[in-house]
Amino acid sequence: MRIAPVYWFLAAIFLVIALAVPRLRPVGIVGSVILVLMLGWGMLERLRGKESEAMPERGRPSAPTSAVRSFPLTDFNTEELRIAGNGAPYELRGHVANRSSELRLRSLTAEITRRDCYEGALDPSGCVVLWQSRQWVEVAVEPGESRDFASQFWTRGEVPRARGTIRDDITVVAADGVPATRQE
């Protein structure tokens, strides 16, 4: 049985009142007794099984979003992925084409790595990583269709200023979709 955090909070308040403030000790004791009676009644109702009738079965999907499933990365194309903006906020832009015949592409997750390339960088590639981020992008593309998208995002924390040329590496690492609705 899991007791809601609010009961523990109330019990702590009543206990502190009863122990710390002699003038309010009756209030703390009465509050504690009422709280114990409420908890006892809740446990009794749970044992009798009344709660299970009113509550839906746990673990069973109850919303239409339960139809969301992983979308194979081979069933769509992304082109011209780029970052626009100066960080207040950035904007991820691109073009996506859904090649699936059964699933509507709902969203994708892009891993973005921004590098600063300059002479004198300690990395052998000549570029150092400024920041990395994973961004969730809602796209909603029906089977066989394609569209452009743009999604704003903020980076976490302080972003260092680039010394040289900026190079962005953008890779789609995950996607999800829902069964397509048949319109006849």
Side-chain angles (χ1 to χ4, degrees):
M1 180 177 139
R2 185 177 167 267
I3 298 176
V6 72
Y7 288 119
W8 292 115
F9 182 70
L10 289 174
I13 289 175
F14 290 137
L15 187 63
V16 167
I17 288 173
L19 294 176
V21 184
R23 191 176 56 152
L24 296 177
R25 192 165 285 151
V27 172
I29 292 171
V30 169
S32 297
V33 168
I34 291 172
L35 184 62
V36 166
L37 290 174
M38 286 174 46
L39 288 172
W41 178 72
M43 288 173 41
L44 182 64
E45 289 296 309
R46 185 170 207 152
L47 288 173
R48 288 189 353 197
K50 298 230 175 176
E51 182 183 25
S52 63
E53 295 170 7
M55 298 284 289
E57 186 177 330
R58 293 182 187 200
R60 172 169 276 192
S62 60
T65 58
S66 63
V68 174
R69 59 184 183 190
S70 180
F71 197 97
L73 296 178
T74 57
D75 284 358
F76 67 94
N77 271 1
T78 54
E79 299 172 344
E80 303 171 18
L81 295 177
R82 65 194 178 283
I83 297 177
N86 60 357
Y90 289 108
E91 189 171 64
L92 176 61
R93 294 179 179 193
H95 184 82
V96 63
N98 183 353
R99 296 190 316 239
S100 173
S101 60
E102 300 174 358
L103 292 175
R104 178 171 59 94
L105 180 61
R106 193 180 81 128
S107 67
L108 55 91
T109 302
E111 185 171 80
I112 303 167
T113 303
R114 176 158 274 193
R115 290 185 165 84
D116 181 13
C117 301
Y118 60 95
E119 192 164 327
L122 297 177
D123 191 88
S125 68
C127 300
V128 293
V129 175
L130 287 177
W131 54 267
Q132 287 182 309
S133 178
R134 281 194 177 202
Q135 297 302 321
W136 179 82
V137 179
E138 185 174 13
V139 289
V141 182
E142 294 295 328
E145 294 182 5
S146 66
R147 73 189 244 343
D148 293 329
F149 68 88
S151 175
Q152 294 184 341
F153 69 93
W154 297 80
T155 58
R156 289 187 169 91
E158 191 90 12
V159 176
R161 189 172 292 269
R163 297 181 190 176
T165 306
I166 292 175
R167 190 177 86 208
D168 294 323
D169 295 324
I170 306 169
T171 307
V172 176
V173 294
D176 63 25
V178 294
T181 55
R182 305 262 186 233
Q183 294 183 4
E184 298 173 6

